[in-house]
Amino acid sequence: MIKTVNGIKINYEEKGEGDLIVLLHGWGSNIGLFANLIDLLAPKYKVVAMDMPGFGKSDEPPAAWEVSDYVQFVIDFLKDYDNKEIMFLGHSFGGRVIIKLNSRTDLPFTVSKVILVDSAGILPPKSNKKSFRTYYYKVGKAVLSTKIAKFFAPDALENFRKKMGSADYAAASPLMRQVLVKTVNEDLEPLLPNIKCPTLLIWGVNDTATPLSDGEKMEKLIPDSGLVKLENAGHYSFLEQQFTFNRVMSSFMKLDE
């Protein structure tokens, strides 16, 4: 389905009836990866999953958004629903949005449950190697941004950015690269205690993108939370260990009652 929110065309799926749960995908992903989860939840709940602006089949945002802009977008998207209580599940980048959403004091609804799956939001400690890489990137960018460099090697800066950036950065459009830089550099750790509702954390033990230590830290900082560790799973634990993930979700969401 398609609807327009604040001038942005958004691709989304809605299935089921009952209390509302909203699914927010990770960076570079889309609602297609949630197909199994939607089918799991829809017999008991109204499930809404959207391609957030800049992802899947949705339009890009009109500018280089920060996490707060995505939070406001989610709030505006949900204005069509009259639910007073809403549950949220977020994978990776979607978790960032949910963490910051829970720090808003002016929400038009109450967040009743949160599920964070291999969530982003905690900044990794900077190693000496990473610090040098950052310094090298800044110097290279400054040199290749000069007029003379652009004249003699017009593609050099873009090629340098692709070489130095992550796979997500290389795959993104110029606008979404700006979004990526803004969002990944925001430390949401201080906001975690603001999540007051029951919170389930599900983590792949072998996750290298958002390591298990992030989940363990979130469990300590979110007052009413519990962490489930999925063996033999990485950053997409909900797909890599789908059977176990579904059992955990069924228990937390009381699907068998």
Side-chain angles (χ1 to χ4, degrees):
M1 296 184 283
I2 299 289
K3 77 173 182 177
T4 301
V5 180
N6 300 335
I8 306 170
K9 288 184 179 179
I10 298 299
N11 178 56
Y12 74 104
E13 185 170 348
E14 180 182 314
K15 190 173 183 179
E17 296 294 335
D19 295 337
L20 179 61
I21 180 167
V22 177
L23 313 182
L24 301 180
H25 60 75
W27 184 273
S29 187
N30 58 70
I31 58 177
L33 296 189
F34 282 147
N36 161 74
L37 188 54
I38 293 171
D39 288 341
L40 178 72
L41 295 169
K44 185 171 182 178
Y45 299 101
K46 176 179 285 187
V47 188
V48 172
M50 69 190 82
D51 286 341
M52 288 188 283
F55 303 100
K57 298 178 182 178
S58 293
D59 289 347
E60 289 191 346
W65 278 8
E66 300 177 348
V67 180
S68 295
D69 297 309
Y70 278 94
V71 170
Q72 187 58 54
F73 162 78
V74 171
I75 294 170
D76 292 342
F77 180 96
L78 294 172
K79 285 180 179 177
D80 292 342
Y81 300 87
D82 57 4
N83 300 73
K84 300 302 180 184
E85 293 188 350
I86 301 178
M87 298 167 282
F88 288 89
L89 179 147
H91 171 245
S92 193
F93 175 73
R96 281 187 193 276
V97 178
I98 292 170
I99 291 169
K100 195 149 193 184
L101 181 143
N102 275 268
S103 290
R104 288 278 294 261
T105 58
D106 59 344
L107 293 176
F109 49 79
T110 298
V111 180
S112 58
K113 279 186 179 181
V114 163
I115 304 105
L116 299 177
V117 184
D118 300 294
S119 177
I122 293 179
L123 287 182
K126 282 192 176 182
S127 64
N128 290 335
K129 182 178 179 181
K130 188 170 184 180
S131 297
F132 175 76
R133 184 179 177 86
T134 301
Y135 172 76
Y136 176 68
Y137 174 74
K138 288 181 177 179
V139 172
K141 181 181 176 183
V143 172
L144 296 175
S145 296
T146 60
K147 289 183 178 180
I148 190 168
K150 288 181 177 180
F151 179 78
F152 286 105
D155 298 326
L157 178 58
E158 183 63 20
N159 292 335
F160 179 71
R161 282 173 169 161
K162 289 181 179 179
K163 181 180 178 181
M164 294 297 294
S166 64
D168 285 335
Y169 185 89
S173 70
L175 175 62
M176 294 307 292
R177 287 175 185 170
Q178 296 178 54
V179 174
L180 179 61
V181 171
K182 285 187 174 184
T183 55
V184 301
N185 288 319
E186 184 172 358
D187 184 11
L188 302 181
E189 184 176 336
L191 305 183
L192 291 169
N194 296 331
I195 303 177
K196 305 298 185 183
C197 62
T199 301
L200 172 63
L201 306 167
I202 307 178
W203 236 267
V205 171
N206 302 327
D207 192 340
T208 56
T210 53
L212 179 60
S213 57
D214 288 3
E216 293 170 337
K217 184 174 287 187
M218 289 186 184
E219 185 182 26
K220 291 179 181 178
L221 294 174
I222 299 172
D224 185 8
S225 65
L227 173 63
V228 176
K229 305 173 185 179
L230 299 186
E231 299 287 342
N232 301 313
H235 191 54
Y236 289 85
S237 60
F238 67 104
L239 296 176
E240 297 166 40
Q241 289 294 336
Q242 189 175 101
F243 176 77
T244 306
F245 179 87
N246 286 359
R247 288 182 61 188
V248 173
M249 283 293 298
S250 295
S251 176
F252 186 68
M253 299 298 293
K254 298 179 171 55
L255 295 179
D256 298 326
E257 294 181 4

